[in-house]
Amino acid sequence: AGRTRGRRGMMEADAGNNPTPLPIWQGMLRGLILAVLAAGSCQGNSVERKIYIPLNKTAPCVRLLNATHQIGCQSSISGDTGVIHVVEKEEDLNWVLADGPHPPYMILLDGNLFNRRVMQQLKGTSRVSGLAVAIAKPSPPQGFSPGLKCPNDGFGVYSKDYGPQFAHCNKTVWNPVGSGLSYEDFDFPIFLLEDANETQVIKQCYQDHNVPRDGSGPEYPLCAMQLFSHMHAVTSTVTCMRRSSLQSTFSINPEVVCDPLLDYNVWSTLQPINSSGKVDPNKEVIIVATRIDSHSFFWNIAPGAESAVSSFVTHLAAAEALHKASDSHLLPRNIMFTFFQGETFDYIGSSRMVYDMEKDKFPLRLNNIHSFVELNQVALRKDSVLWMHTDPISRLNESVGGEVRNLLDILSNSSLGTNVTLQEVGFSQPLPPSSFQRFLRVQHIPGVVLTDHSSAFQNRYYQSMYDTPENIRMQYPEGLSPEETLEYVTDTAKSLAEVATVVARALYRLAGGANNTSAIQADPKTVSRMLYGFLIKMNNSWFQSIIKPDIKGILGDVPQHYVAVSSPVNTTYLVQYVLANLTGTVVNLTKEECLNPEKTPDSEKEMYEYAWVQGSLDPNSTSRVPYCVQSTVRLSKALSPAFELRQWGSTEYSTWTESRWKEIRARIFLVASKELEIITLVVGIAILVISLLATYFINAKADILFNIPRDPGAVAY
């Protein structure tokens, strides 16, 4: 007995230092839990991978907003799910809209059926939970444009106060195939399937599980799709910007729900000007302009071959040809090469530059502008004809009319001896949608817009995913390597180089040049490289050699030209460095001197920009040979003045914003019947209840069930 009391006393004495031993069953349970967690940490997503097949090559339709509306698409906050049904002809819609017994349906839609008529049928029913669109190959022969029939209506120069007979495209419908789908609001998610292999996986899943058998519905399990694209902003820019502003004012961790579409304009001058000062009021400047952005129904899918790339590549080639002219630095008038961003969305870039000129926030003033030449869509010329559009209202002014006539004559004469024929559009027709219209809103300026169409667009894929290299007839021989494709001069490149030659010669004459212009010639090889880089593959050896090392990450594979909300976007950077490469000068500066030109004597930092670029690969090694480029290329903000002025409901300036979102993803999986899901739930609950009761019983009787045997050495007398 004494030994027993002594042992118990030692155990009590050690209790403050050693934990009480666990019952055997609790130790086993803890070990089991640790084993499960260890297995889960090693194979955390294995169950999910077995259930779901992610779709990685997709592009969503997202929500955009302006002063009065919201457009685009979104899913519910937890994503939308539906049984997949493949629709390859309009008759297949009957199953989705009426006959199918398993709504809601997630439709895999053939690209040829993605049109306004079909979408209006799907928009008004609760039997559709979402849409996945397969790209049509080849492109729809009838054309496809989700843009408006009258692009940028209300934000150009024509209104009830200026040329009312031309307002709202009353005289000319510029985009007759425009369906306006991009400007509709859909309350279900719509995704583009970019990868044909993923499209085939979905179709195979549908064939295996969802195809109706003998006129009756398929049996479970069924193949389903889930799309996540919940948008944070609602109603309009006014609403979302107000909410974001309140959050920023009163919240420690503000939640911004939308962002203005913004980027930078790219500009340079033939002769250097002081970027921090003001151009002499008596100095005349000719503006050459084009847009560098495009758009389509789906986010960041904007190839823009005809609507943007053809014109700004021609513009870049003309700039290079002019800079090579021996007396370009002596011309009486300067020339400014301007590349506007955000023009698709109610002229963001041009309206901002005009605003800055009016407010003396730009080196040029409006009064410095001698004339305006704009390159619009120029790749789809019929019979080599390039059309010259002018504003019939401003030409009623005798002085402006005379200068416009001179401008047209110079352009026409510059085409002599080339394969380009310039023709003037009738005096009674207005300007097509163009950046020039934003300048005319504030001042009568002599100007011309060059296009490949006399009235309606030749481009049947305006603002669509089908405005691709094939649309402008870019063709390459089979079997070429990427490097050979980069250097191959296509017929399209030759054609655009001819247009660039005509423009460069005309600009030389407009600027007061008196020498023979036959030596001014755009380089088709340069045009070929630019078309390849801006339309087929950005990550090529030429682009790699002309950009800064710290931004080489912008060189993705497939080029897109959407303005977006983070800036500068890839297109802006590349236009900037291509222009610097084509018009700049290689200077003998070290890396330190190039990166800090203000520390270098005679660098003329206010007159020039300096860039330390990667250079080409050394033929004898894997390293590059970098160098310093001096140019007049600069960036200026392309943010609508409406956001500077906090006039979010403006009708004068663009008010487009893009909603924020948390996640964008898509996946497919097999779904069981509702009955089986309910049975599974009930059985699970029953097992849980039984487990809890068993646990309670075992815990209550633990001292009996798991009694610790006595120490055989402890004997009581």
Side-chain angles (χ1 to χ4, degrees):
R3 286 195 297 270
T4 303
R5 285 196 297 270
R7 183 178 178 84
R8 187 180 299 140
M10 285 189 292
M11 288 174 65
E12 291 173 352
D14 291 341
N17 300 321
N18 298 310
T20 303
L22 288 171
I24 294 174
W25 70 273
Q26 288 188 6
M28 293 173 64
L29 182 61
R30 175 175 288 186
L32 180 61
I33 292 173
L34 291 174
V36 170
L37 290 176
S41 64
C42 296
Q43 300 181 18
N45 293 322
S46 61
V47 175
E48 182 177 354
R49 286 199 300 267
K50 290 178 180 177
I51 296 174
Y52 300 105
I53 298 177
L55 303 174
N56 299 316
K57 293 286 289 180
T58 62
C61 160
V62 304
R63 175 167 289 168
L64 301 175
L65 310 98
N66 64 10
T68 56
H69 293 81
Q70 65 180 29
I71 63 172
C73 322
Q74 77 156 353
S75 72
S76 62
I77 194 167
S78 57
D80 288 329
T81 304
V83 174
I84 295 172
H85 190 74
V86 176
V87 175
E88 295 181 327
K89 53 186 183 296
E90 285 203 45
E91 292 76 19
D92 295 337
L93 289 173
N94 294 331
W95 183 265
V96 173
L97 300 176
D99 301 337
H102 307 300
Y105 285 96
M106 194 67 71
I107 298 174
L108 174 56
L109 187 69
D110 184 272
N112 289 295
L113 294 177
F114 186 52
N115 54 53
R116 188 177 187 85
R117 184 180 64 258
V118 170
M119 292 305 295
Q120 288 301 318
Q121 293 181 64
L122 303 180
K123 191 175 182 181
T125 176
S126 60
R127 291 175 60 89
V128 174
S129 60
L131 198 65
V133 180
I135 294 179
K137 292 185 178 180
S139 302
Q142 71 277 13
F144 174 75
S145 172
L148 298 171
K149 292 183 182 297
C150 189
N152 291 357
D153 186 24
F155 290 86
V157 68
Y158 302 112
S159 65
K160 61 182 178 61
D161 301 317
Y162 187 98
Q165 68 273 31
F166 304 129
H168 312 300
C169 295
N170 287 335
K171 186 75 175 178
T172 305
V173 176
W174 296 106
N175 186 29
V177 298
S179 64
L181 267 184
S182 290
Y183 297 85
E184 292 280 339
D185 184 39
F186 296 92
D187 60 359
F188 52 79
I190 304 176
F191 278 53
L192 177 69
L193 301 173
E194 299 181 74
D195 188 347
N197 292 327
E198 289 188 344
T199 302
Q200 190 56 43
V201 168
I202 299 171
K203 288 184 176 181
Q204 189 60 53
C205 188
Y206 166 79
Q207 292 288 341
D208 293 343
H209 299 279
N210 294 12
V211 173
R213 310 293 180 187
D214 301 322
S216 60
E219 296 181 358
Y220 286 97
L222 298 174
C223 190
M225 183 185 295
Q226 190 172 31
L227 302 178
F228 296 85
S229 62
H230 181 67
M231 300 288 125
H232 294 176
V234 296
T235 308
S236 67
T237 289
V238 175
T239 301
C240 78
M241 289 299 293
R242 183 177 65 243
R243 290 178 179 174
S244 297
S245 179
L246 288 172
Q247 285 272 342
S248 301
T249 303
F250 297 109
S251 176
I252 298 175
N253 298 308
E255 182 180 348
V256 177
V257 296
C258 68
D259 301 282
L261 295 182
L262 63 94
D263 203 78
Y264 288 89
N265 298 322
V266 182
W267 64 277
S268 74
T269 51
L270 187 64
Q271 300 161 5
I273 62 174
N274 189 332
S275 61
S276 59
K278 291 288 180 291
V279 173
D280 187 301
N282 297 319
K283 182 67 174 178
E284 292 183 324
V285 179
I286 301 160
I287 291 184
V288 194
T290 191
R291 65 160 57 172
I292 58 175
D293 69 296
S294 187
H295 179 45
S296 80
F297 186 87
F298 299 99
W299 183 75
N300 206 31
I301 300 295
E306 161 72 341
S307 60
V309 177
S310 68
S311 56
F312 74 70
V313 161
T314 304
H315 187 168
L316 288 164
E320 179 192 34
L322 260 176
H323 271 269
K324 288 181 177 178
S326 58
D327 59 339
S328 61
H329 62 291
L330 301 174
L331 295 175
R333 298 187 185 97
N334 205 347
I335 298 173
M336 177 173 155
F337 306 99
T338 314
F339 301 82
F340 291 121
Q341 259 288 14
E343 295 301 274
T344 302
F345 295 96
D346 300 337
Y347 306 118
I348 293 174
S350 55
S351 63
R352 180 53 188 260
M353 183 170 283
V354 171
Y355 174 82
D356 287 344
M357 287 181 176
E358 287 183 298
K359 303 298 180 183
D360 280 345
K361 296 180 179 180
F362 195 79
L364 263 69
R365 300 178 179 87
L366 289 168
N367 290 333
N368 289 118
I369 301 175
H370 168 268
S371 53
F372 199 104
V373 177
E374 180 170 352
L375 286 162
N376 213 306
Q377 303 178 81
V378 295
L380 298 177
R381 291 177 290 130
K382 282 188 176 180
D383 302 322
S384 299
V385 175
L386 197 63
W387 294 92
M388 301 181 289
H389 299 258
T390 58
D391 172 40
I393 306 300
S394 60
R395 288 183 69 178
L396 296 175
N397 179 295
E398 186 176 345
S399 173
V400 173
E403 293 180 8
V404 170
R405 183 72 266 160
N406 180 57
L407 174 56
L408 296 174
D409 290 342
I410 288 175
L411 279 164
S412 297
N413 292 334
S414 298
S415 68
L416 298 177
T418 69
N419 292 324
V420 180
T421 303
L422 275 88
Q423 292 188 19
E424 184 180 348
V425 175
F427 189 85
S428 61
Q429 185 167 288
L431 287 169
S434 52
S435 305
F436 181 39
Q437 292 197 33
R438 291 301 302 191
F439 286 80
L440 285 175
R441 280 175 74 115
V442 295
Q443 183 171 304
H444 283 173
I445 298 171
V448 63
V449 178
L450 301 176
T451 74
D452 56 20
H453 55 89
S454 60
S455 53
F457 296 161
Q458 298 276 13
N459 186 5
R460 295 173 298 148
Y461 305 108
Y462 182 75
Q463 288 186 8
S464 101
M465 55 196 171
Y466 300 114
D467 192 6
T468 57
E470 291 76 19
N471 186 33
I472 58 172
R473 308 184 188 109
M474 282 179 61
Q475 295 178 335
Y476 295 93
E478 293 184 5
L480 295 182
S481 67
E483 201 63 28
E484 290 170 337
T485 309
L486 172 68
E487 301 294 338
Y488 183 81
V489 180
T490 62
D491 290 340
T492 302
K494 294 175 184 176
S495 174
L496 293 179
E498 290 170 349
V499 176
T501 297
V502 171
V503 171
R505 291 175 180 178
L507 290 172
Y508 176 82
R509 288 282 182 235
L510 274 173
N515 293 339
N516 190 297
T517 59
S518 59
I520 299 176
Q521 188 82 34
D523 185 0
K525 188 173 182 180
T526 301
V527 176
S528 288
R529 287 178 164 188
M530 289 191 286
L531 288 174
Y532 179 81
F534 285 113
L535 287 175
I536 297 175
K537 188 177 182 181
M538 279 187 169
N539 194 11
N540 61 72
S541 60
W542 186 48
F543 278 5
Q544 290 168 7
S545 70
I546 65 175
I547 64 171
K548 291 182 177 180
D550 57 341
I551 63 167
K552 60 184 179 182
I554 68 170
L555 296 177
D557 281 335
V558 182
Q560 304 296 347
H561 307 294
Y562 174 60
V563 59
V565 296
S566 57
S567 57
V569 296
N570 300 10
T571 304
T572 303
Y573 270 131
L574 289 171
V575 169
Q576 177 188 7
Y577 287 105
V578 168
L579 183 60
N581 176 267
L582 298 180
T583 63
T585 305
V586 177
V587 291
N588 188 24
L589 295 178
T590 65
K591 180 178 180 180
E592 181 66 25
E593 292 170 336
C594 191
L595 296 176
N596 301 282
E598 65 278 357
K599 298 179 182 179
T600 306
D602 303 323
S603 67
E604 297 182 287
K605 178 71 173 82
E606 294 79 15
M607 309 295 284
Y608 296 100
E609 290 289 316
Y610 293 83
W612 184 258
V613 300
Q614 291 193 120
S616 302
L617 286 170
D618 190 323
N620 301 317
S621 72
T622 57
S623 61
R624 294 184 176 275
V625 184
Y627 55 91
C628 186
V629 175
Q630 177 196 68
S631 72
T632 62
V633 182
R634 295 183 172 90
L635 301 180
S636 66
K637 191 178 291 186
L639 170 66
S640 171
F643 298 100
E644 294 276 320
L645 302 170
R646 296 177 68 86
Q647 295 176 0
W648 303 320
S650 173
T651 56
E652 170 72 12
Y653 299 112
S654 172
T655 55
W656 285 105
T657 54
E658 181 185 272
S659 174
R660 289 196 177 186
W661 57 81
K662 185 177 181 180
E663 62 175 345
I664 299 287
R665 60 192 175 101
R667 60 189 184 181
I668 63 173
F669 56 97
L670 295 181
V671 62
S673 67
K674 293 294 182 185
E675 292 79 5
L676 181 57
E677 289 178 349
I678 293 172
I679 292 172
T680 305
L681 176 62
V682 171
V683 171
I685 293 173
I687 293 172
L688 175 62
V689 170
I690 293 170
S691 300
L692 291 174
L693 291 173
T695 303
Y696 174 77
F697 172 77
I698 292 171
N699 188 53
K701 304 296 181 180
D703 55 340
I704 298 173
L705 296 172
F706 307 107
N707 187 27
I708 301 174
R710 292 185 178 184
D711 187 346
V715 180
Y717 297 96

